Amino acid sequence: EPEVTQTPSHQVTQMGQEVILRCVPISNHLYFYWYRQILGQKVEFLVSFYNNEISEKSEIFDDQFSVERPDGSNFTLKIRSTKLEDSAMYFCASTAEIIQGGQYFGPGTRLLVL
Amino acid sequence: DQQVKQNSPSLSVQEGRISILNCDYTNSMFDYFLWYKKYPAEGPTFLISISSIKDKNEDGRFTVFLNKSAKHLSLHIVPSQPGDSAVYFCAASKGAGSYQLTFGKGTKLSVIP
């Protein structure tokens, strides 16, 4: 069964460093998303991406964040200058449908900022 | 800002019995609702969804009920199995071009053999 994959599974970085989280969505999917879950809190929407541009973003997704689909398969989230409060589990998701439907999530990248 | 609320952090049920997980929402713009299951160290797995034009959707052992006037939905699992033990998240979206999901905090279901 096709699945969303994410790399790395864990990343430890120093505050102020740049990190890039990578995702490979399901191959025929058109919509891509990033969510995050800070430990003990709810899963929060960051950004959605369709047709090579951002379609929605939340207040969390400030100028420190960017997304890119550099080729036909990868979808990346970049945090330019990490802060301690960026420590969280980051989930990528994708969906084929252009109407509402279940988004398929990857296993997540656990980011720890020291 | 708790637009989607799951007021029970945990629930224990005997194997074979019914599990009922509840979810309330406050934003009347939500028109599509989903349930996800999550095991530790994995991403959320989509289970079942319902549009606001329906009041029930069934898929095997899983049934979701929507009471739009009460802004309440529930997930019924029957019969419950030990493999159903996980955290269950309720999520909602607004439609009209917005497909971001707003999640509840989750309910940890334990099915006791």
Side-chain angles (χ1 to χ4, degrees), chain B residues 92-110:
Chain B
S93 70
K94 294 177 192 172
S98 171
Y99 305 126
Q100 63 172 279
L101 297 178
T102 300
F103 282 85
K105 284 190 171 180
T107 297
K108 184 176 182 180
L109 174 66
S110 300

Side-chain angles (χ1 to χ4, degrees), chain A residues 13-29:
Chain A
T13 190
Q14 294 290 327
M15 191 170 58
Q17 295 295 304
E18 174 183 286
V19 294
I20 297 176
L21 310 182
R22 291 182 167 79
C23 168
V24 178
I26 295 173
S27 63
N28 64 339
H29 283 189

Side-chain angles (χ1 to χ4, degrees), chain B:
Chain B
D1 176 22
Q2 282 205 73
Q3 297 188 65
V4 177
K5 300 179 204 176
Q6 293 177 258
N7 291 321
S8 298
S10 62
L11 175 69
S12 288
V13 171
Q14 289 285 336
E15 181 179 2
R17 305 295 290 268
I18 185 170
S19 295
I20 300 176
L21 298 123
N22 293 304
C23 177
D24 297 292
Y25 63 96
T26 56
N27 192 331
S28 55
M29 298 294 290
F30 289 142
D31 69 352
Y32 198 80
F33 304 90
L34 308 92
W35 284 94
Y36 282 82
K37 176 168 80 171
K38 186 180 181 302
Y39 295 117
E42 293 185 13
T45 301
F46 170 67
L47 269 180
I48 191 168
S49 61
I50 188 166
S51 163
S52 61
I53 61 171
K54 294 187 174 182
D55 55 16
K56 178 181 172 182
N57 188 26
E58 204 169 340
D59 184 2
R61 296 186 298 114
F62 301 92
T63 303
V64 56
F65 295 92
L66 175 63
N67 182 334
K68 207 175 165 187
S69 61
K71 293 191 176 70
H72 177 83
L73 61 154
S74 60
L75 175 68
H76 293 210
I77 306 172
V78 57
S80 301
Q81 299 172 354
D84 296 329
S85 297
V87 177
Y88 288 77
F89 292 99
C90 172
S93 70
K94 294 177 192 172
S98 171
Y99 305 126
Q100 63 172 279
L101 297 178
T102 300
F103 282 85
K105 284 190 171 180
T107 297
K108 184 176 182 180
L109 174 66
S110 300
V111 180
I112 304 159

